[in-house]
Amino acid sequence: MPLARTAWSDLLAEISAARDLAVIRRILIQGWRYKWMIALTIASTAAMGGLMGTLLWQIVTKIPELIKQGGSIGSIEALGAKVLLMAPIAAICGYCSWWSGQWVANRCMMDLRDQMVAHLTRLDLAFHGELSRGDLLTRLTADLENMLGLQQVLYGRLLQRPLEGLGWVAALLFFDWRMGLGVLAVLAVATAAIAPVLRRTRDRSHKARQTLARNFSALEQVTAGIRVIKAMGSSEREIAHYAGNNRALFDDNMRVARARAQSDALTQGAIFALVGAGIVTGAVLYSYGGIEPMKLIMFLGVLARLITVMREVQRGWGDAQERLPAVERVYAVLDRPSRITDRNGAIPCPPPRKAITIEGVRFRYAPDSDDVLRGLDLEIPVGKTVALVGESGSGKSTLLDLIPRFHDVTGGRIAIDGVDIRDYQVESLVHNVAIVQQDSFLFNDTVYANIAYGRPGASREQVEEAARRAHVHDAILGLEGGLGYETPVGDRGGRLSGGQRQRVAIARALLRDAPILLLDEPTSALDADSERHVQEALQELMRGRTTIVVAHRLATIQHADLIYVLAGKDDPRRGTVLEQGSHLGLVGSDGEYARLVRLQQLAT
């Protein structure tokens, strides 16, 4: 049994090492596009090592030779002048060595951040629903910062110092192969002892990254839900919950610290072992006349530099092991493909001319979950307003997400003028759609920028005209501070009222001027006065467009051209159409729609 456990541990270690090398190889491939800068890093490092070796050689060999030959002070001064002339060259090499490595690291990170944001904006909504906001923010902040640290370590220390170390080992073997072999033996033993400890650092760091993500998520929940926490009087409960996560993070970080401390301890022991072995070997060789005094001094000088290099490599590799799990979390996002892509031969999507048809559509959010829509069939004629009603969980909002392909159907199809929307280019399909939701998102920018977001490059006159049509122009001019359209709206539009926020979103949709309009309960969170203003803006927005409205307040859809009633989640017919018709016709038929109307009348 112990042998089996050992074999299993060895296999896991091999897998872990292979994974680490794969990640580092991937980083190096990314940096290879800047190969000339990497070549400068290596060349300047090699030149610096050569200059130091030359300096040591000059001091140890030339000075004794000059003294032995009765050289004058002038000759020694000439040698000193030569060494002084090497100083600016050494300074330039040192500067280039460090600066070029950091340039490659920071440039690669700039590219990676751009790539990360581009990839996130192209990923399907399912990904953003699968990953918690706290976890995603951790990957975009702390994990990316750790990746920068790994890049800097890789191009700074790990690319340079091992090369320098090999040079010094070669020098030791050149000066005296016996002493060089002794040093290599100690280095081999030290490396074998430190490697398992560094692997433990990586494994423990991986767990610490997961705990940090949970900690970040808990913190994000506290800040996002502070109103609910205050209203429920649950501050103490949240404090205790966060304290538990925080303690777990402390424990995991201390496990990483213990592993790093062990590797440092082994390195310190190896340093003393190297020095001791060097001195003992040198003393033995010197006592038997096997080495000259000045060569021994030179050997010890090279050994001192090798020790410094070895310590930098150990610390660099320890840093890399600690940061590798964070890098893997970043690559896990970048490697996740979008499930919404253009088919081969996809064509641009033209504005609809006849109808949008939902044909036998089935949809589920995950392979192991229940269907939200179960063979849904309905038609939305172009230029008409169609309302979707039904109890919660009937799939109304889900259907709105399927039309612009935020998700793909799992059965059936959605077609525009008879063409499956999956045969259209995704970007051109989305450009035909404008969406106003229950709590429309505004960017932390000015009112003007939020409206203009609907059509980049729109003129000032077009932006203000959209605001007038959305019945929000006067409200904008009357905003506190007197800045009008240049007023910052705050985080998620928090400095505006709910009605103002919705009308700014409607102005943005008006400016976009898309032929298909999706309204997802745009007035359900508003008071009566705000709802009246927003309804006026919506009427302007809906004019001449193909509009699909999801609404719980049935009074707001009485004038819809066609109303579809969907079965709720507790109904075995969930996700299918129960009834369809006009408001008056459905009320007169005394079916599900009439029941919902009566319930709302009783509630009011």
Side-chain angles (χ1 to χ4, degrees):
M1 196 68 169
L3 288 174
R5 279 200 298 269
T6 301
W8 179 248
S9 299
D10 291 344
L11 177 62
L12 289 178
E14 288 178 13
I15 294 172
S16 177
R19 193 165 65 240
D20 292 350
L21 291 175
V23 171
I24 291 173
R25 179 175 175 271
R26 185 170 179 176
I27 292 173
L28 290 174
I29 289 173
Q30 181 191 4
W32 188 245
R33 70 185 70 178
Y34 308 115
K35 49 184 170 291
W36 293 113
M37 195 62 74
I38 294 175
L40 175 61
T41 303
I42 295 173
S44 54
T45 301
M48 190 66 199
L51 286 170
M52 292 186 68
T54 301
L55 175 63
L56 190 58
W57 178 266
Q58 293 286 337
I59 292 173
V60 173
T61 61
K62 295 296 182 181
I63 292 179
E65 184 179 330
L66 287 171
I67 294 173
K68 187 185 295 183
Q69 295 174 358
S72 63
I73 296 298
S75 300
I76 298 176
E77 289 176 347
L79 176 61
K82 290 179 182 178
V83 174
L84 285 173
L85 289 174
M86 294 167 60
I89 301 174
I92 292 171
C93 289
Y95 176 86
C96 289
S97 175
W98 177 256
W99 173 83
S100 57
Q102 296 304 300
W103 188 94
V104 174
N106 283 283
R107 184 56 189 259
C108 287
M109 282 306 301
M110 185 186 80
D111 296 343
L112 190 69
R113 290 190 190 100
D114 288 342
Q115 184 184 354
M116 190 79 165
V117 171
H119 187 65
L120 282 172
T121 58
R122 293 181 182 125
L123 278 172
D124 53 277
L125 282 183
F127 166 81
H128 295 278
E130 292 164 1
L131 205 62
S132 72
R133 189 163 176 263
D135 193 358
L136 182 58
L137 287 174
T138 303
R139 295 176 195 239
L140 292 174
T141 53
D143 289 345
L144 271 177
E145 191 64 27
N146 271 280
M147 191 165 193
L148 173 60
L150 178 58
Q151 298 258 24
Q152 290 172 334
V153 167
L154 183 60
Y155 291 110
R157 280 181 279 179
L158 295 182
L159 189 63
Q160 300 173 28
R161 296 298 172 258
L163 294 174
E164 184 183 345
L166 288 174
W168 289 121
V169 169
L172 288 176
L173 291 169
F174 174 75
F175 293 143
D176 193 289
W177 63 270
R178 296 162 297 183
M179 296 183 71
L181 287 178
V183 168
L184 280 176
V186 175
L187 282 175
V189 172
T191 301
I194 293 172
V197 177
L198 290 177
R199 281 198 294 270
R200 277 203 299 275
T201 301
R202 184 202 181 287
D203 294 339
R204 293 177 181 181
S205 182
H206 178 72
K207 189 171 184 300
R209 300 311 303 173
Q210 294 175 323
T211 307
L212 176 62
R214 289 195 298 271
N215 185 280
F216 203 109
S217 184
L219 188 60
E220 191 272 333
Q221 290 290 308
V222 169
T223 57
I226 190 64
R227 288 182 179 274
V228 176
I229 294 169
K230 290 287 188 183
M232 296 294 177
S234 57
S235 297
E236 293 302 320
R237 190 194 328 164
E238 292 300 326
I239 290 170
H241 179 253
Y242 181 75
N245 285 324
N246 210 22
R247 178 69 193 191
L249 180 60
F250 168 79
D251 291 340
D252 286 345
N253 283 335
M254 287 311 300
R255 291 188 186 98
V256 175
R258 284 197 292 274
R260 289 300 303 272
Q262 289 168 6
S263 68
D264 273 7
L266 288 170
T267 303
Q268 294 288 1
I271 288 171
F272 277 84
L274 273 176
V275 174
I279 292 173
V280 169
T281 305
V284 171
L285 291 174
Y286 178 73
S287 64
Y288 288 98
I291 189 172
E292 298 174 5
M294 294 310 296
K295 273 195 173 183
L296 178 59
I297 294 171
M298 187 173 185
F299 178 88
L300 293 176
V302 171
L303 183 61
R305 180 56 190 170
L306 180 61
I307 288 169
T308 302
V309 169
M310 186 186 80
R311 180 149 184 79
E312 287 191 31
V313 170
Q314 177 270 323
R315 286 187 171 176
W317 188 244
D319 286 344
Q321 290 288 305
E322 194 171 338
R323 297 175 192 275
L324 276 168
V327 175
E328 288 181 341
R329 284 166 50 84
V330 172
Y331 280 142
V333 174
L334 287 173
D335 291 342
R336 203 280 203 179
S338 178
R339 296 170 186 165
I340 308 298
T341 56
D342 288 339
R343 286 179 171 177
N344 291 332
I347 60 175
C349 178
R353 295 185 177 182
K354 297 177 181 178
I356 301 169
T357 52
I358 315 298
E359 304 170 5
V361 165
R362 304 181 70 88
F363 179 76
R364 60 177 61 185
Y365 282 99
D368 57 348
S369 64
D370 293 331
D371 283 338
V372 179
L373 301 175
R374 301 171 180 174
L376 182 66
D377 290 290
L378 56 88
E379 183 174 303
I380 302 117
V382 166
K384 301 297 183 181
T385 296
V386 172
L388 304 176
V389 301
E391 294 183 345
S392 297
S394 58
K396 305 181 298 296
S397 296
T398 297
L399 179 57
L400 291 194
D401 283 346
L402 293 175
I403 291 172
R405 284 193 73 192
F406 292 161
H407 304 281
D408 266 341
V409 299
T410 50
R413 73 169 191 163
I414 298 174
I416 295 178
D417 296 339
V419 179
D420 193 321
I421 61 172
R422 289 169 293 188
D423 291 328
Y424 289 127
Q425 295 168 357
V426 175
E427 187 174 349
S428 68
L429 173 64
V430 171
H431 277 298
N432 278 288
V433 179
I435 304 173
V436 179
Q437 298 173 310
Q438 176 180 349
D439 186 17
S440 294
F441 179 86
L442 297 185
F443 294 92
N444 191 2
D445 207 330
T446 64
V447 174
Y448 182 90
N450 273 282
I451 297 175
Y453 196 84
R455 190 199 302 172
S459 67
R460 181 86 183 191
E461 292 75 16
Q462 289 172 322
V463 170
E464 293 188 7
E465 177 60 23
R468 287 189 181 92
R469 292 176 62 194
H471 299 268
V472 74
H473 175 73
D474 292 338
I476 292 172
L477 296 181
L479 288 172
E480 185 179 352
L483 296 176
Y485 282 86
E486 302 308 317
T487 303
V489 302
D491 188 30
R492 302 188 184 187
R495 294 183 62 181
L496 303 182
S497 69
Q500 291 170 341
R501 190 161 55 245
Q502 285 297 79
R503 281 179 284 162
V504 167
I506 291 169
R508 181 169 62 194
L510 276 164
L511 190 63
R512 183 174 178 80
D513 197 24
I516 302 171
L517 177 62
L518 307 179
L519 304 177
D520 192 358
E521 303 185 50
T523 64
S524 63
L526 303 177
D527 57 61
D529 185 56
S530 296
E531 182 179 3
R532 178 176 60 83
H533 288 295
V534 171
Q535 282 291 355
E536 292 172 352
L538 286 173
Q539 290 302 318
E540 179 67 28
L541 177 60
M542 294 162 63
R543 186 178 302 158
R545 303 179 201 280
T546 305
T547 305
I548 307 171
V549 186
V550 169
H552 278 117
R553 294 185 186 179
L554 303 184
T556 64
I557 58 168
Q558 292 182 15
H559 301 294
D561 298 298
L562 186 60
I563 298 172
Y564 287 100
V565 183
L566 274 59
K569 64 179 180 179
D570 297 326
D571 192 311
R573 298 165 294 176
R574 176 189 183 185
T576 59
V577 175
L578 296 179
E579 300 172 333
Q580 66 183 74
S582 66
H583 171 74
L584 291 177
L586 289 172
V587 170
S589 67
D590 198 28
E592 176 65 13
Y593 183 80
R595 185 184 73 84
L596 293 173
V597 171
R598 286 195 297 271
L599 285 174
Q600 288 203 3
Q601 288 173 344
L602 286 173
T604 56

